[in-house]
Amino acid sequence: MNLFNSSYYKVQKTFLTICGGWPYQTNYNYFVLRTIFLTGIMIFMFLPETIMIMRNFKDIDLITAILPLFCGSIMGFSKAIVLFSNVNEVKILLEELQKDWRNFSLIESELLLIKNYAKRGKQITVMYAGSIYAGGTCFYLMSLAAPVADLIKPLNESRHRVFLYPGDFYVPNDNHFLLILTMEWYGLMCAGHVILTLDTFYITLLLHSCGTFAVLSQRLEKLEITNFQINKDQLFQENSNIAQDKKVYFYLTECIKLHLRNIRFTERLNSTFSKAFFIDLSFGVLVASASAVKFVLSINEPNQRIMYGGIYLMQSIRIFCNSLPGQLLINHSNRVKLAAYQSKWYELPERSKKLLLILMMRSEKPNEFVVGKLFAMNIQLFSVINRTCFSYCTALLSLQKN
C-alpha cells in the first residue's frame, strides 16, 4: 500500500477514492460516493437532457446543441458502471503493479525504467485533470457573464442568459438561473471526473506495461555468455560449463515468466475496461461531430462558439491521449522481439537457444489493447475516428441546411 502513497500514484489514488473506485475503501464510503456520482450524472445531466430531447424531437438545431453533453453523460455513466462493477479486477491490477515494483527494485537500472514510465503517467494525469476541471469551470464562469454584467452595468432589459446545456428541470429558468446552472455544472463535473479517472487509470497501467516490456528488452539486450562466467579456479572445466548453462537457462526462464506475466496483465486490463472504451469511442465520435457543427453554426454567438470549440478540442485530445498509450504498448511489445534478435544468441548453449526461440515466437504477436474485440487502440484508430467525425459533421451540416 505504501507504493500508492508515493508521488507516482498518489494523484491516481485520490481520483479513484473521490468517486468510490478505490478498492481498499470501506463499504460505507463505496455506497455514499458512488451514489453521489451516479445520481449526479443521472439526475442533473442525463434525465433533463433526455426530457428536452423527447419534447423537441423535431428541432434539429436544439438536438445538435444537446447531443455533445448528452453523449458525455452516457459516456460518464457507462464508465462509472464499469469501474464500480470491476472493483475486484482493479484490486488485482493494483496488486500486480505493486508486485512488479517489488521485483524490479532489486536492480537499480530496472527500477529507474519503471519510475520513468510511472512519472510519465503522473504527468499525463495532472495535465488531463487540469484541462477537464479548468474547462468545466470556464464554461460555468462564461454562463455567469450575463447576470454579472447585469449587476455591474444594467440595461433596460436583462441580457440573454446561456446555460451549459439545454435541459428541462421542471422549474422556471429565469427565476432559478443560478440554481439550474449550478446543478448542470455539478452533473457535468461528476461525469467529467469519472471519465477522467478511468482514462488516466488506463493510461497509467498501460504505461506501466510499456515499462515492463522495456525492462524485458533491456534484459535481452544484455544477454551475453560472458555475463555468466563461473570461477574456474574453484570448479573443474566440465562442471563450470554445466553451471554456466544452468545460469543462462535460469536467466531466460525468468525473462519468459516476466513476458508471460506482462501479457496476462494487459489481457486483464483489456477484459476489464474494453467495453467502457468501446462505448466511449462510439459516443465520442458523436460528441466531436455535433460540437464541430455547433461551432460552425454559432457565428453570431461567441460564447457558444468558444464552448463548443472547447468541447471539440477536449474530445480530440482525449481520443489522442487514449490512443497514444495503446500505440506505445504495441511498439514496446515489438521491441522485445528485436532485442532478442540483437542479443548474442548464437553464443548460448543449445537448450538455452531453444528457450529463447519460444520467447521470440510469442513476441511475434504484438500486445494490444483491443476495444470491444473489434479494433486495437492506436494512432491509426485516432486517424480513422477523426475522418469519421468529419464525415458525420458534413452530414449534420447538410441536414441543418435542409
Side-chain angles (χ1 to χ4, degrees), residues 68-240:
L69 292 176
F70 176 72
C71 292
S73 66
I74 296 174
M75 290 156 55
F77 186 78
S78 62
K79 287 202 166 187
I81 294 298
V82 169
L83 180 62
F84 298 156
S85 61
N86 287 283
V87 173
N88 290 332
E89 294 296 316
V90 170
K91 187 176 182 179
I92 293 172
L93 288 167
L94 292 174
E95 289 173 352
E96 289 292 323
L97 184 145
Q98 201 168 19
K99 188 186 298 182
D100 285 341
W101 273 73
R102 283 197 300 268
N103 293 336
F104 296 139
S105 62
L106 301 175
I107 301 176
E108 185 63 30
S109 61
E110 295 181 355
L111 182 61
L112 184 61
L113 263 178
I114 290 297
K115 284 183 177 179
N116 287 336
Y117 282 91
K119 191 181 295 183
R120 291 184 198 177
K122 178 191 171 183
Q123 291 169 348
I124 293 173
T125 299
V126 171
M127 289 189 292
Y128 200 138
S131 64
I132 291 288
Y133 281 112
T137 304
C138 286
F139 292 159
Y140 182 76
L141 295 176
M142 283 171 55
S143 298
L144 286 177
V148 170
D150 285 338
L151 291 174
I152 297 173
K153 191 176 181 180
L155 302 175
N156 293 332
E157 58 181 15
S158 297
R159 292 176 174 85
H160 178 60
R161 300 183 176 187
V162 181
F163 292 95
L164 289 177
Y165 49 83
D168 195 336
F169 287 87
Y170 286 99
V171 293
N173 291 349
D174 295 335
N175 298 335
H176 301 86
F177 174 76
L178 187 59
L179 175 63
I180 294 174
L181 184 64
T182 303
M183 288 192 296
E184 288 186 343
W185 181 79
Y186 173 67
L188 181 64
M189 286 295 97
C190 285
H193 181 82
V194 173
I195 293 172
L196 152 74
T197 300
L198 194 56
D199 284 356
T200 53
F201 185 58
Y202 147 84
I203 291 169
T204 300
L205 293 182
L206 270 194
L207 287 176
H208 171 76
S209 185
C210 291
T212 305
F213 277 124
V215 169
L216 177 58
S217 299
Q218 185 183 79
R219 289 183 182 181
L220 292 173
E221 287 168 358
K222 293 180 179 179
L223 183 61
E224 295 184 29
I225 195 68
T226 54
N227 295 333
F228 302 93
Q229 294 294 339
I230 304 298
N231 190 346
K232 296 181 181 179
D233 296 334
Q234 300 175 3
L235 296 169
F236 294 106
Q237 178 68 30
E238 184 178 355
N239 291 338
S240 174

Side-chain angles (χ1 to χ4, degrees), residues 34 90 160 250 263 308:
R34 292 177 185 184
V90 170
H160 178 60
F250 177 78
I263 289 172
Y308 286 104

Side-chain angles (χ1 to χ4, degrees), residues 60-61 64 289 292-294 296-297 389-402:
I60 301 299
D61 187 53
T64 307
S289 303
V293 170
K294 287 301 294 181
V296 172
L297 296 177
C389 287
F390 286 124
S391 300
Y392 284 174
C393 180
T394 304
L396 289 170
L397 285 171
S398 301
L399 191 62
Q400 286 275 358
K401 290 178 182 180
N402 295 334

